C-alpha cells in the first residue's frame, strides 16, 4: 500500500458512518473494510463523487443476505458510499481472474476496520500479464470500431476517447507494476515512464487523458488525429506486452 494515500476527514467520517451498522451485523465475521480508488486522492470531493468501500467477511451464507441488506444504510443525504461486500474466499479465488483489479486495491487502499488483508496480497504475475494484454487488445479493438463508425462525428469520437481514459490509466499502472517499476503519482508521470521504457510517443499516449480534460471536441481534424495517434500507441504497447516473458 502507498502510505501517502489517505482519505480526507470528510471521506473517513462518511465511510465509518456507513460501515458502523454493517460492522455491528457482521461482528467477528468482518475481516477488513477499506476505502479504495479515487476517494484516496487529495482532490476527491465527496459531495460530487461516491466513496468506494470494500468490505470482506469471513463467511456470508446466502441465507444471511437479506439481513445484511437490512443492516446496510440506504442512500440519503451527505456523502454517498458504493460498497462491495464479498468473502475472504471470494477474494483468494479471484486473484487469478481479476489480477489488475486486486493489484490496484493492494496498492491503493486505506483500512478503516479489521485486518490489513490487502497489504500482503499476492497477485499471480503470469495472470496479470495475460489480463493486461487482454484488456489492451479488447480496448484497442473497441476503439478502432468506434473510430470507423464515428469519423464524421468528432463529438462522438471525443466522448469515446475521453471515457476510455480512466480504464487505460489503471492498465498503465498495472503494467508498470508488472515490470517492477515504481508508479508515479500523476497520470503524466505514468505516461512518461511507459513511453521511456518502450519507445512510445508521450504526447500521443496521453491523448485519451487530454480529451478527458476538455469538455468539447477541439475540432474535427485534431480529434481524429488524436484518436488515431492514441490507437497507434496502444497497438504498439500491446505488441510489447505480448512479448513479455514472466517467470
Amino acid at each position: 500500500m502507498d502510505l501517502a494515500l489517505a482519505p480526507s476527514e470528510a471521506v473517513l467520517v462518511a465511510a465509518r458512518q456507513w460501515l458502523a451498522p454493517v460492522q455491528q451485523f457482521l461482528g467477528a465475521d468482518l475481516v477488513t473494510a477499506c476505502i479504495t480508488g479515487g476517494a484516496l486522492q487529495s482532490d476527491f470531493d465527496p459531495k460530487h463523487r461516491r466513496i468506494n468501500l470494500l468490505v470482506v467477511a469471513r463467511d456470508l451464507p446466502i441465507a444471511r443476505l437479506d439481513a445484511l441488506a437490512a443492516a446496510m444504510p440506504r442512500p440519503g443525504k451527505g456523502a454517498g458510499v458504493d460498497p462491495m461486500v464479498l468473502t475472504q474466499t471470494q477474494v483468494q479465488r479471484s486473484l487469478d481472474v481479476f489480477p489488475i483489479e486486486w493489484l490496484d486495491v493492494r496498492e491503493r487502499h486505506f483500512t478503516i476496520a479489521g485486518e490489513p488483508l490487502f497489504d500482503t496480497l499476492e497477485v499471480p504475475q503470469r495472470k496479470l500479464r495475460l489480463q493486461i494484454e487482454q484488456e489492451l487488445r479488447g480496448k484497442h479493438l473497441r476503439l478502432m470500431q468506434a473510430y470507423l463508425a464515428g469519423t464524421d462525428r468528432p463529438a462522438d469520437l471525443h466522448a469515446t476517447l475521453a471515457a476510455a481514459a480512466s480504464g487505460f490509466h489503471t492498465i498503465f499502472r498495472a503494467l508498470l507494476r508488472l515490470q517492477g517499476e515504481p508508479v508515479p503519482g500523476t497520470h503524466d508521470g505514468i505516461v512518461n515512464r511507459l513511453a521511456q521504457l518502450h519507445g512510445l510517443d508521450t504526447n500521443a499516449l496521453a491523448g485519451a487523458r487530454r480529451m478527458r480534460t476538455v469538455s468539447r471536441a477541439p475540432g474535427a481534424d485534431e480529434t481524429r488525429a488524436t484518436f488515431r495517434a492514441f490507437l497507434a500507441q496502444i497497438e504498439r504497447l500491446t505488441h510489447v506486452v505480448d512479448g513479455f516473458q514472466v517467470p
Side-chain angles (χ1 to χ4, degrees), residues 2 4-5 103-104 106-108 169-191 193-194 197:
D2 186 343
L5 292 173
L103 180 61
D104 203 50
R106 188 186 75 185
E107 300 299 330
R108 300 200 309 161
H169 182 65
T170 299
I171 295 171
F172 293 167
R173 287 200 310 266
L175 181 51
L176 287 177
R177 290 168 184 148
L178 177 65
Q179 296 183 261
E181 289 280 330
V183 179
T186 66
H187 181 78
D188 287 345
I190 291 169
V191 167
R193 186 56 184 147
L194 276 180
L197 287 171

Side-chain angles (χ1 to χ4, degrees), residues 71-145:
M72 292 169 64
R74 299 298 97 184
K77 295 182 179 179
V81 172
D82 275 340
M84 175 176 285
V85 182
L86 67 169
T87 68
Q88 192 167 7
T89 298
Q90 287 174 319
V91 172
Q92 292 298 328
R93 291 185 178 177
S94 64
L95 290 175
D96 60 341
V97 182
F98 305 118
I100 290 178
E101 291 80 1
W102 287 124
L103 180 61
D104 203 50
V105 168
R106 188 186 75 185
E107 300 299 330
R108 300 200 309 161
H109 72 276
F110 187 90
T111 303
I112 62 171
E115 308 165 12
L117 176 68
F118 296 107
D119 288 3
T120 56
L121 199 68
E122 291 294 331
V123 175
Q125 296 297 285
R126 287 187 179 182
K127 298 294 186 180
L128 177 60
R129 190 215 67 80
L130 179 60
Q131 191 189 10
I132 290 173
E133 182 182 349
Q134 287 175 331
E135 290 289 334
L136 285 172
R137 289 193 184 281
K139 290 180 183 299
H140 181 270
L141 285 171
R142 288 191 290 274
L143 285 178
M144 188 167 66
Q145 306 316 306

Side-chain angles (χ1 to χ4, degrees), residues 157-234:
L157 293 182
H158 168 257
T160 298
L161 198 54
S166 179
F168 278 107
H169 182 65
T170 299
I171 295 171
F172 293 167
R173 287 200 310 266
L175 181 51
L176 287 177
R177 290 168 184 148
L178 177 65
Q179 296 183 261
E181 289 280 330
V183 179
T186 66
H187 181 78
D188 287 345
I190 291 169
V191 167
N192 288 340
R193 186 56 184 147
L194 276 180
Q196 291 170 359
L197 287 171
H198 305 300
L200 302 174
D201 184 319
T202 302
N203 186 61
L205 193 61
R209 180 73 171 188
R210 195 161 57 249
M211 285 295 183
R212 188 178 180 181
T213 61
V214 294
S215 58
R216 300 180 64 180
D221 290 342
E222 184 178 345
T223 298
R224 285 192 289 264
T226 299
F227 205 118
R228 290 194 305 269
F230 184 76
L231 274 176
Q233 297 309 299
I234 297 303

Side-chain angles (χ1 to χ4, degrees), residues 1 15 19 32-37 40 51-56 84 105 108-113 115 117-118:
M1 180 183 67
L19 180 65
T32 192
C34 55
I35 300 168
T36 65
L40 299 177
I51 301 164
N52 292 330
L53 183 63
L54 183 58
V55 179
V56 181
M84 175 176 285
V105 168
R108 300 200 309 161
H109 72 276
F110 187 90
T111 303
I112 62 171
E115 308 165 12
L117 176 68
F118 296 107

Side-chain angles (χ1 to χ4, degrees), residues 63-77:
R64 296 187 70 194
L65 291 185
D66 286 347
L68 174 58
M72 292 169 64
R74 299 298 97 184
K77 295 182 179 179

